[in-house]
Amino acid sequence: MNKELFLVAWLCLVLPNIYAQNVDSLQIRKIYEEIMLRGKAYQHLDFLCNKIGNRISGSPQAAASVEWTRQIMDTMGLDTVYLQAVMVPRWVRGDKEIGKIMTKMGNFEVRLTALGSSVGTEEKGLLAPVIEVKDLAELKKLGEKNIKGKIVFFNRPMNPLEFDPFDAYVGAVDQRGSGANEAAKYGALGVIVRSMTSNQDNFPHTGNTRYEADTKKIPAVAISTNDAEKLSTNLAQEPDLKFYLKLNCQMLPDVLSYNVIGEIRGSEKPEEYVIVGGHLDSWDIGQGAHDDGAGVVQSMEVLRIFKRVGYKPKRTVRTVLFMNEENGLRGGNEYAKVASEKKEKHIAALESDSGGFSPRDLGITADEKVWQKMQAWRALFEPYGILRFLKGGGGADIRPLNRTQNTTLVGYQPEPQRYFNYHHTEADTFDKVDKRELELGAVNMAAMIYLLAEYGTE
Amino acid sequence: MNKELFLVAWLCLVLPNIYAQNVDSLQIRKIYEEIMLRGKAYQHLDFLCNKIGNRISGSPQAAASVEWTRQIMDTMGLDTVYLQAVMVPRWVRGDKEIGKIMTKMGNFEVRLTALGSSVGTEEKGLLAPVIEVKDLAELKKLGEKNIKGKIVFFNRPMNPLEFDPFDAYVGAVDQRGSGANEAAKYGALGVIVRSMTSNQDNFPHTGNTRYEADTKKIPAVAISTNDAEKLSTNLAQEPDLKFYLKLNCQMLPDVLSYNVIGEIRGSEKPEEYVIVGGHLDSWDIGQGAHDDGAGVVQSMEVLRIFKRVGYKPKRTVRTVLFMNEENGLRGGNEYAKVASEKKEKHIAALESDSGGFSPRDLGITADEKVWQKMQAWRALFEPYGILRFLKGGGGADIRPLNRTQNTTLVGYQPEPQRYFNYHHTEADTFDKVDKRELELGAVNMAAMIYLLAEYGTE
């Protein structure tokens, strides 16, 4: 090839890319300006947190959040807004829990939160000696002769040497998720779990616990990290102290609830779906602001902004607000099941369920070819705070789509250090969310959904 | 060259680098573990904020912070800890300010904060009509005939479209810094400035204002962004409304204060200095937690951690806690002056004065060769959250060193979105600082000081 011909060929290859990148960067800038100047995510979060409040699956507030988000999306000029029915568990806490460390020196009240799905105690409560363990392996080693008739106290902290507290959480949460079920196998009467947080603080953090069908269901609670230290110290001084526990929670029959779905039909490939979502339900303490009010209002903002800036997506784009992420994942499972039944080809799904913090990373679960294609987009995000695309990531609600359809998953992973300060506690309230940080999350989510809707994953 | 010879040559070139990087990454990991497991920065910040409190130059609390940090550094086993005398301005607020919008509909109280260095009003206060302007250019255009006898209201917001609020701040702060001085030239009687924050909130944000020697000194205050909107609306409805202003602040004669300096003598090149610092003084409202208690305790932590992990720096390393950054920069100027007089060769200086938030960037002001050398270190920081080295950066206190000695400057630039929520307000308190975020800042600062002390800038 002579030099001139080579140059022309090179230009033909490169110029369209440069042109596309420029068009994309202008489109994303438009999205950014609209959100930063006239965004509604923060105002929506205020309403969801302060007017509706926390909204555990099956609660009246969960029903209110379904109706309210449906109405909000109805005002956006989308092509469709609809509810997708799903039966969800209905767990209720009942009257406030009571917990006491009973020692020779006296009795000390301890703040408790029942773990989600836990059974209650008998009416008179549960009084039993306590045995402290670090992990499930230690429980197994101690066996029935040391465990039977006792309350097992799981006290392994989240590892402070994990840079990312989400990794530390994954390394500790088996105590909360399986502790009660495993301890029951050795005859334990109840379980106390150290709260899942890197902080030393006074908040008990709830979260789900799971029973296997054939295991006796025993009551399970979390205590704050400060109280966990105190209980551990007391136990060292007086190994035969007792703990009094009174829980009033119970599981009621399943009730009807909904995923809330808004849609803009694709202009060129309507049969390919790109979705963005968060989960509507929260735990029943605090306001579910970071978990996951933030993800909900950001996901609604994506479609609203597309309409505002006049962007017509080539592929069908949906906002999906999932019900029941916290204690059952019924919404996520139902959505994937219906998508398969209707043969809706979901090429990509993005979830925001790591808090409304400042943008930092996107985590991507995709085949290598798709990953490579998406890598080329990274520079478009840097002006808005996303500095890395990391391999792996998604979200609990969209994972079923990946399993059934090999859908590419994107997890919005903002700055992670403060998430577990608030997670599943009464401290997860609206005032903990910064307006600009929340909005910048919506900007980056909208940018990624735009690119996926425009270019697909092929 | 044959293949084998080439391979040997290549290994000789590359292996020492790989070895050094590995040694460095292990050393930095040691620093990280020591800080995350047994760090004292958070505990120190608690004391500085909650036991000493805010500490404007010349105040008893500023004196307490000098004595306390000296004593803390005295316990660290450093080679020297000493005070460097410097005369500082002594500006006092006096009794709480009073501000009222006086309209036909009635009078409305407005929360005020005098701008630092402002003169007070007369005893009876100042009552005058208000003229709203966006910037100094508009002021000039309006001229004496429109300005004389009035209070000038500077109401240009920080630009919400700047991704980095520090850039938005730079774009708006001339109103606060020069507004009073410029308005006085056209016969204004006083100045009201919209607070420097991207938020709509109710906090008046103080900050320094400067008078030229030959300009009449007129009183200057900040009002919250919410009150700025309110005043602007009222002015649109009733252009001849008046504003009542009563300030009791005054500038007293300079007083003696100190920079606080701790030093570990270099083992190989003691004549080369690497320093790390923040500023001890704060404004006289809130607790100066992010600005700049965080930088102070992080800077002390760097030298403490070096001793704890047994690291002996090759070059002389100092922690310098500067006095009077907020309203005079006397400490920073004095430090650079003395360094030149003593011919202390300062090769590099790092300042933390952008808050105790999660690590993100380091800003570097250096000659191109030094910049290139430092770039090779970047990967060492990624595990601890610093994702970028950016060109440009430093800090007000260390900038004089760059001017006098061409010292390489490093600015610790953590996640910036929330800084101006708290900056110079009563909301800048200890509880706004997250323990892990503060500690991770100290980790990255210590890592950079380690590399500079070990390898220099040549």
Side-chain angles (χ1 to χ4, degrees):
Chain A
M1 211 184 310
N2 69 31
K3 263 195 210 165
E4 288 71 22
L5 194 61
F6 177 79
L7 187 68
V8 169
W10 183 82
L11 283 173
C12 289
L13 280 168
V14 167
L15 272 186
N17 266 324
I18 292 175
Y19 174 75
Q21 289 263 317
N22 194 35
V23 167
D24 295 335
S25 88
L26 290 174
Q27 184 64 64
I28 293 170
R29 177 75 192 183
K30 251 166 102 175
I31 289 168
Y32 169 73
E33 296 193 354
E34 186 64 26
I35 291 179
M36 301 314 281
L37 294 177
R38 288 170 293 273
K40 294 214 170 170
Y42 191 65
Q43 172 190 330
H44 287 159
L45 187 65
D46 187 5
F47 191 96
L48 185 61
C49 291
N50 287 315
K51 296 286 195 272
I52 294 179
N54 63 52
R55 45 201 178 278
I56 192 171
S57 291
S59 65
Q61 296 95 320
S65 71
V66 166
E67 182 57 18
W68 175 71
T69 52
R70 188 188 67 71
Q71 290 186 16
I72 292 288
M73 288 206 282
D74 258 347
T75 67
M76 293 181 183
L78 309 181
D79 295 325
T80 334
V81 177
Y82 64 100
L83 304 184
Q84 182 174 64
V86 56
M87 295 302 290
V88 297
R90 170 91 174 108
W91 178 79
V92 295
R93 182 175 300 273
D95 289 341
K96 204 169 154 33
E97 304 88 342
I98 299 169
K100 285 181 197 169
I101 305 177
M102 320 279 275
T103 75
K104 284 175 208 152
M105 308 290 287
N107 304 336
F108 307 101
E109 284 243 14
V110 174
R111 286 172 68 196
L112 300 176
T113 173
L115 294 186
S117 307
S118 174
V119 295
T121 56
E122 288 178 40
E123 184 57 34
K124 67 174 197 279
L126 166 65
L127 181 70
V130 177
I131 182 160
E132 177 175 341
V133 302
K134 289 292 176 215
D135 53 29
L136 299 173
E138 189 181 351
L139 180 82
K140 194 172 172 184
K141 209 172 116 196
L142 286 167
E144 189 169 331
K145 76 171 188 297
N146 293 298
I147 301 295
K148 193 169 181 179
K150 292 185 185 151
I151 294 172
V152 175
F153 170 33
F154 287 96
N155 192 27
R156 183 166 87 261
M158 274 170 52
N159 181 0
L161 295 181
E162 292 281 6
F163 173 80
D164 187 332
F166 283 82
D167 294 331
Y169 178 74
V170 167
V173 76
D174 61 344
Q175 303 169 94
R176 193 195 73 203
S178 314
N181 189 67
E182 295 307 311
K185 293 178 182 170
Y186 303 104
L189 300 179
V191 156
I192 300 170
V193 180
R194 180 193 182 95
S195 282
M196 298 294 132
T197 174
S198 338
N199 282 355
Q200 283 307 129
D201 65 30
N202 292 314
F203 297 114
H205 295 233
T206 191
N208 210 33
T209 197
R210 285 172 299 278
Y211 304 113
E212 290 167 7
D214 51 354
T215 314
K216 184 172 156 50
K217 295 185 167 77
I218 59 173
V221 298
I223 60 176
S224 73
T225 45
N226 280 342
D227 281 339
E229 292 295 304
K230 190 166 136 188
L231 178 54
S232 184
T233 305
N234 284 335
L235 276 170
Q237 288 163 354
E238 189 183 328
D240 55 348
L241 66 73
K242 290 189 175 175
F243 200 96
Y244 175 75
L245 199 59
K246 172 85 166 78
L247 304 192
N248 309 296
C249 45
Q250 56 179 316
M251 190 67 86
L252 301 174
D254 287 0
V255 298
L256 179 63
S257 187
Y258 303 93
N259 296 325
V260 184
I261 301 170
E263 177 179 303
I264 303 175
R265 202 79 190 136
S267 60
E268 293 185 11
K269 298 194 170 185
E271 73 287 0
E272 291 193 5
Y273 291 79
V274 175
I275 73 167
V276 57
H279 63 85
L280 261 183
D281 65 308
S282 75
W283 282 107
D284 62 332
I285 49 181
Q287 298 181 330
H290 279 293
D291 185 16
D292 182 25
V296 165
V297 299
Q298 289 169 328
S299 298
M300 291 201 297
E301 192 72 346
V302 171
L303 261 60
R304 195 184 72 81
I305 257 36
F306 284 177
K307 296 299 290 188
R308 294 286 301 183
V309 302
Y311 168 60
K312 294 187 200 331
K314 292 184 181 158
R315 291 161 180 82
T316 297
V317 175
R318 279 184 186 161
T319 291
V320 183
L321 308 178
F322 297 95
M323 184 52 71
N324 187 229
E325 190 270 349
E326 295 293 4
N327 57 339
L329 210 67
R330 303 275 185 91
N333 286 324
E334 182 67 15
Y335 183 84
K337 183 168 150 268
V338 172
S340 286
E341 285 166 2
K342 292 192 180 168
K343 301 197 191 323
E344 294 169 345
K345 184 182 173 192
H346 279 66
I347 62 164
L350 186 160
E351 182 158 8
S352 167
D353 186 20
S354 302
F357 301 100
S358 219
R360 187 177 187 90
D361 301 319
L362 293 178
I364 297 174
T365 300
D367 294 341
E368 187 58 26
K369 225 179 103 185
V370 181
W371 164 259
Q372 289 300 339
K373 172 175 177 148
M374 292 173 76
Q375 274 295 358
W377 301 341
R378 206 202 53 81
L380 290 164
F381 291 80
E382 185 157 346
Y384 311 106
I386 290 288
L387 302 185
R388 296 186 299 194
F389 285 6
L390 301 176
K391 280 198 178 181
D397 294 295
I398 58 177
R399 210 168 297 135
L401 282 170
N402 179 262
R403 278 199 295 269
T404 52
Q405 299 199 19
N406 196 31
T407 303
T408 291
L409 303 185
V410 184
Y412 176 59
Q413 297 177 359
E415 209 294 312
Q417 297 300 331
R418 285 173 296 130
Y419 187 70
F420 293 96
N421 299 4
Y422 313 127
H423 185 242
H424 297 183
T425 72
E426 64 184 50
D428 186 10
T429 49
F430 176 66
D431 58 301
K432 305 307 190 314
V433 180
D434 179 75
K435 181 169 181 283
R436 283 180 61 87
E437 295 192 352
L438 180 76
E439 289 171 344
L440 288 168
V443 169
N444 285 287
M445 289 164 64
M448 177 52 86
I449 297 299
Y450 158 75
L451 291 165
L452 287 165
E454 202 62 5
Y455 303 108
T457 53
E458 296 283 286
Chain B
M1 213 184 306
N2 68 32
K3 263 194 210 166
E4 286 72 20
L5 193 62
F6 177 78
L7 186 69
V8 169
W10 183 81
L11 283 174
C12 289
L13 280 169
V14 167
L15 272 186
N17 266 325
I18 292 175
Y19 174 74
Q21 289 262 317
N22 194 35
V23 167
D24 295 335
S25 89
L26 289 175
Q27 184 66 63
I28 293 170
R29 177 75 193 182
K30 253 167 99 176
I31 289 168
Y32 169 72
E33 295 193 355
E34 185 64 26
I35 291 179
M36 301 313 282
L37 294 177
R38 287 170 294 274
K40 294 215 170 168
Y42 191 64
Q43 172 190 329
H44 287 159
L45 187 65
D46 188 3
F47 191 96
L48 184 61
C49 291
N50 287 315
K51 295 286 196 269
I52 294 178
N54 63 52
R55 46 199 178 277
I56 192 171
S57 290
S59 65
Q61 296 95 320
S65 72
V66 165
E67 181 57 18
W68 175 71
T69 51
R70 189 188 67 73
Q71 289 186 16
I72 292 288
M73 288 207 281
D74 258 346
T75 66
M76 292 180 183
L78 309 181
D79 295 326
T80 332
V81 178
Y82 64 101
L83 304 184
Q84 182 174 64
V86 57
M87 295 302 290
V88 297
R90 171 91 175 107
W91 179 78
V92 294
R93 181 174 301 272
D95 289 341
K96 204 167 153 34
E97 303 87 342
I98 301 170
K100 285 181 197 167
I101 305 176
M102 321 278 277
T103 77
K104 285 174 209 152
M105 307 288 288
N107 304 336
F108 307 102
E109 284 243 15
V110 175
R111 286 170 68 197
L112 299 176
T113 172
L115 294 186
S117 306
S118 173
V119 294
T121 57
E122 288 178 40
E123 185 56 35
K124 67 173 198 279
L126 166 65
L127 181 69
V130 176
I131 182 159
E132 176 175 342
V133 301
K134 288 292 177 215
D135 52 29
L136 298 173
E138 190 181 350
L139 180 82
K140 194 173 172 183
K141 210 172 116 195
L142 287 167
E144 189 168 333
K145 76 172 188 295
N146 293 299
I147 302 293
K148 194 169 180 179
K150 291 186 186 151
I151 294 173
V152 176
F153 170 35
F154 288 95
N155 192 27
R156 183 166 89 261
M158 274 170 51
N159 181 359
L161 294 181
E162 292 281 5
F163 172 80
D164 188 332
F166 283 82
D167 294 331
Y169 178 73
V170 167
V173 76
D174 62 344
Q175 303 168 94
R176 193 195 74 204
S178 315
N181 189 68
E182 296 306 311
K185 293 178 182 169
Y186 302 105
L189 300 179
V191 156
I192 300 169
V193 181
R194 180 193 181 94
S195 282
M196 297 294 130
T197 174
S198 338
N199 283 354
Q200 283 307 128
D201 65 30
N202 293 314
F203 297 114
H205 294 232
T206 191
N208 211 33
T209 197
R210 285 172 300 277
Y211 303 112
E212 289 168 8
D214 52 354
T215 314
K216 184 171 155 54
K217 295 184 168 77
I218 60 172
V221 298
I223 61 176
S224 73
T225 44
N226 279 342
D227 281 338
E229 292 295 304
K230 190 166 135 188
L231 177 56
S232 183
T233 306
N234 284 336
L235 276 170
Q237 289 163 353
E238 189 183 326
D240 55 348
L241 65 74
K242 291 190 175 175
F243 200 96
Y244 174 76
L245 200 57
K246 172 85 166 81
L247 305 192
N248 308 295
C249 44
Q250 56 179 317
M251 190 67 86
L252 301 174
D254 287 1
V255 297
L256 179 63
S257 188
Y258 303 93
N259 296 324
V260 184
I261 301 171
E263 178 180 302
I264 302 175
R265 202 79 191 136
S267 61
E268 292 186 11
K269 298 196 169 185
E271 74 287 1
E272 292 193 4
Y273 291 79
V274 176
I275 72 167
V276 57
H279 63 84
L280 261 183
D281 65 308
S282 75
W283 282 107
D284 62 332
I285 49 181
Q287 299 181 329
H290 279 293
D291 185 16
D292 182 25
V296 165
V297 300
Q298 289 170 327
S299 298
M300 292 202 296
E301 192 72 346
V302 171
L303 261 61
R304 194 184 74 81
I305 256 38
F306 283 178
K307 297 299 289 188
R308 293 285 303 183
V309 303
Y311 168 60
K312 293 189 202 329
K314 290 184 182 159
R315 290 159 181 84
T316 296
V317 175
R318 279 184 186 162
T319 292
V320 183
L321 308 178
F322 297 95
M323 183 51 72
N324 187 228
E325 190 270 349
E326 295 293 5
N327 57 338
L329 211 67
R330 303 276 185 91
N333 287 326
E334 182 67 15
Y335 183 85
K337 183 168 149 265
V338 172
S340 287
E341 286 167 2
K342 291 193 179 168
K343 302 198 191 323
E344 293 168 345
K345 185 181 172 191
H346 279 65
I347 62 164
L350 186 160
E351 182 159 7
S352 167
D353 185 21
S354 301
F357 301 99
S358 219
R360 188 176 185 93
D361 301 319
L362 293 177
I364 297 174
T365 300
D367 294 341
E368 188 57 27
K369 227 179 101 185
V370 181
W371 164 259
Q372 291 300 338
K373 172 176 176 148
M374 291 173 78
Q375 275 293 358
W377 301 341
R378 206 203 53 82
L380 291 164
F381 290 79
E382 185 156 346
Y384 311 106
I386 290 287
L387 301 185
R388 295 186 300 194
F389 285 6
L390 300 176
K391 279 198 180 183
D397 295 294
I398 58 177
R399 211 167 295 134
L401 282 170
N402 179 263
R403 279 199 294 269
T404 52
Q405 299 199 19
N406 196 30
T407 303
T408 291
L409 303 185
V410 185
Y412 177 59
Q413 297 177 357
E415 209 295 310
Q417 297 300 330
R418 285 173 295 130
Y419 187 70
F420 293 96
N421 298 4
Y422 312 126
H423 186 240
H424 296 184
T425 72
E426 64 182 52
D428 186 10
T429 48
F430 176 66
D431 58 301
K432 304 309 189 315
V433 180
D434 178 74
K435 182 170 181 280
R436 283 180 61 87
E437 295 192 351
L438 180 76
E439 289 171 343
L440 288 168
V443 168
N444 286 288
M445 290 164 62
M448 178 51 85
I449 297 299
Y450 158 76
L451 292 165
L452 289 164
E454 201 63 5
Y455 302 110
T457 52
E458 294 283 287

